[in-house]
Amino acid sequence: MEIKLRPYQLSDVDDFMEWACNDQVIRTSRLRYYTSREDALDYLKEAAIPHPWYRAICLEDRPIGFICVKPGSNNERCRGQMSYALGSKYWNKGITTVAVKLVISSVFEEFPNMERLEGFVDVENKASQRVMEKVGFQKEGVLRKYVIVHGKTIDVIMYSFLKTDQTN
């Protein structure tokens, strides 16, 4: 089972819709439901492809999820925010853990000013909490009523990984 990260392409739209339109994925992420192939193509064209660091999580070169890092700018250029989602039929197989490790192995080189990578996890998403902790992110605390997801304000756990946390 070979896991790789690569930029999304428009030709990935059908694979994207297969995992991203799954009710379980929508319920546990901030993604919205894509109502048509054209809707998903617009998302890839306008959001995913131009994003500075939005990657397909690929199994045998087929996208089964995404992982992205939003680099900070100006006085916040020392940090980035990571988010991810994976097709539900691939959950609990260690794939997201591998993807996050791949991010850590490259993102600090690609963004030399970045010293800190942050991740925000729903307090109810135990699997994602385990991913962050297995990879070496430090739990910093709970941010209460921090973000609205699908119409509901939720608490999130803030995790961080510093450039200096890497082991060579």
Side-chain angles (χ1 to χ4, degrees):
M1 181 168 74
E2 185 177 24
I3 307 301
K4 289 189 174 180
L5 305 181
R6 66 163 172 78
Y8 263 97
Q9 304 160 0
L10 292 179
S11 59
D12 293 325
V13 67
D14 294 324
D15 290 326
F16 174 81
M17 286 193 70
E18 183 179 324
W19 70 264
C21 291
N22 177 285
D23 288 338
Q24 288 179 288
V25 173
I26 299 294
R27 196 170 35 258
T28 60
S29 73
R30 295 181 197 170
L31 290 173
R32 64 178 181 83
Y33 190 81
Y34 298 93
T35 55
S36 67
R37 191 173 192 273
E38 291 72 30
D39 190 25
L41 270 171
D42 285 346
Y43 175 77
L44 291 176
K45 206 180 310 181
E46 295 168 15
I49 293 172
H51 190 284
W53 214 97
Y54 190 110
R55 303 290 186 264
I57 300 173
C58 295
L59 177 62
E60 309 304 331
D61 203 43
R62 287 195 60 216
I64 59 170
F66 87 91
I67 192 162
C68 77
V69 174
K70 181 181 178 188
S73 59
N74 300 319
N75 291 338
E76 296 178 356
R77 68 185 174 278
C78 61
R79 68 179 184 206
Q81 287 186 7
M82 180 180 65
S83 58
Y84 50 78
L86 188 70
S88 62
K89 70 181 182 180
Y90 302 101
W91 290 357
N92 302 312
K93 298 180 188 302
I95 293 170
T96 305
T97 301
V98 170
V100 173
K101 286 179 180 178
L102 290 170
V103 169
I104 289 170
S105 72
S106 64
V107 76
F108 293 113
E109 289 178 19
E110 292 185 43
F111 298 101
N113 291 323
M114 190 179 296
E115 299 175 51
R116 171 188 173 91
L117 187 58
E118 299 172 343
F120 299 90
V121 178
D122 184 334
V123 295
E124 296 180 13
N125 190 337
K126 303 297 183 202
S128 196
Q129 291 171 39
R130 282 192 307 276
V131 166
M132 300 299 263
E133 291 165 5
K134 277 195 286 188
V135 174
F137 277 71
Q138 298 296 310
K139 180 178 177 179
E140 295 191 340
V142 174
L143 303 173
R144 300 180 310 152
K145 302 291 182 194
Y146 186 74
V147 66
I148 300 169
V149 178
H150 308 299
K152 179 183 172 195
T153 307
I154 65 167
D155 299 346
V156 297
I157 299 171
M158 178 183 231
Y159 287 91
S160 71
F161 189 95
L162 303 181
K163 185 187 288 191
T164 55
D165 292 338
Q166 290 179 293
T167 55
N168 295 330

